[in-house]
Amino acid sequence: MMYSTSLTPFHPSKKRNIEPGNKGEMAANNEMKSVSASGDQVKFEQEFGHKSLLQTDALYQYILDTGVYPREPEPMKELREVTAKHQWSMMATPADEAQFLNMLLKLVNAKNTMEIGVFTGYSLLATALALPDDGKILAIDTNREDYELGLPIMEKAGVAHKIQFKEGPALPILDQMIADEKNHGTFDFIFVDADKDSYTNYHKRLIDLVKVGGLIGYDNTLWNGSVAAPPDAPLNSYVRYYKDFVLEFNKAISFDPRIEICMLPVGDGITLCRRVI
Ligand code: SAM
Ligand code: CA
């Protein structure tokens, strides 16, 4: 049974989040499902197959080819292709998840948004394209160079004016914002896709910055399927390193009375949190 993927381990020079692709995640998920299945679930699966629709890589490809790529806006396609040449391309948000974010932002009429973890900007561009012309995105990342790879494409798409990029670690930037009461309860949507060991600390701050009724989306909360792996499962070093942080975060928010949550098996798992108080 495999829980590891063939992705490159830690970057030699700096700590970065290396994100598993969907293929590895799906394979791991499917294996885990059959391992954890018991009693009624086994009978159900023998008769009808897995409850999850995504049983195969071919089915995921079908979604991309049928519902995502034919409708992918030209600038997003261009950015996806540019990003594919980057040595850390596997960190980018998958196209189907970006499409989901784009629609979600339109559904909630988001105007004032934040993104923590930009990389070359694929999810940022999906957000920028969804917002009205006077919409705003505060985009935070420690690495300006990667953001600047995608910036010309966002400029060409006519959405760069919505983006304010802040370079640096997100926690002190959030602390600065929290210090000013005016920022409290002002964000309609916040997408968190950076260092997984900080998610719990991000949540402590973001819950004050998002408005009541607003959404925070935490990415990679299924962490390559490892969140449901047995303790002795063979995991890649990077998956293993962050696994306990993701588990701790998932547990903490599942009991947080200030939010409603929805864990979606899109991409590597995205947990939507709607602030209710
Ligand atoms: N959302 C991006 C996309 O769609 O391409 C992918 C983001 S990538 C998974 C994670 C990013 O988080 C990296 O660009 C990394 O530089 C950034 N990052 C890591 N730690 C950070 C921190 N403490 N503060 C801000 N950004 C951080
Ligand atoms: Ca991600």
Side-chain angles (χ1 to χ4, degrees), residues 108-268:
V108 301
N109 290 317
K111 201 165 166 183
N112 192 30
T113 71
M114 189 194 307
E115 177 166 306
I116 303 178
V118 172
F119 186 42
T120 62
Y122 192 71
S123 54
L124 181 64
L125 181 55
T127 304
L129 290 169
L131 298 188
D133 200 50
D134 60 347
K136 287 187 173 44
I137 315 165
L138 174 62
I140 306 172
D141 202 296
T142 43
N143 187 323
R144 180 181 286 275
E145 212 179 301
D146 289 337
Y147 164 67
E148 286 183 347
L149 205 62
L151 184 57
I153 298 171
M154 296 183 232
E155 281 165 349
K156 203 165 64 178
V159 294
H161 66 282
K162 302 178 193 176
I163 301 165
Q164 183 199 2
F165 181 80
K166 277 204 184 183
E167 185 181 7
L171 272 182
I173 294 174
L174 295 179
D175 281 338
Q176 245 178 8
M177 293 172 72
I178 293 275
D180 186 348
E181 195 78 28
K182 280 206 304 283
N183 293 317
H184 289 213
T186 52
F187 287 88
D188 302 306
F189 182 82
I190 302 172
F191 183 55
V192 183
D193 191 15
D195 43 339
K196 313 309 169 201
D197 42 346
S198 298
Y199 274 26
T200 305
N201 282 323
Y202 289 147
H203 188 64
K204 286 182 186 148
R205 287 141 178 96
L206 296 178
I207 196 69
D208 286 334
L209 295 173
V210 73
K211 56 174 65 158
V212 174
L215 281 180
I216 311 172
Y218 289 100
D219 202 32
N220 303 95
T221 50
L222 297 180
W223 201 234
N224 200 228
S226 68
V227 289
D232 59 346
L235 301 174
N236 257 351
S237 55
Y238 62 89
V239 174
R240 179 173 298 286
Y241 179 80
Y242 288 106
K243 180 188 155 193
D244 287 346
F245 293 106
V246 176
L247 283 172
E248 181 201 312
F249 169 75
N250 287 343
K251 196 170 170 187
I253 58 164
S254 74
F255 290 108
D256 186 339
R258 297 166 298 179
I259 51 172
E260 292 169 346
I261 71 166
C262 184
M263 286 181 96
L264 296 172
V266 176
D268 189 33

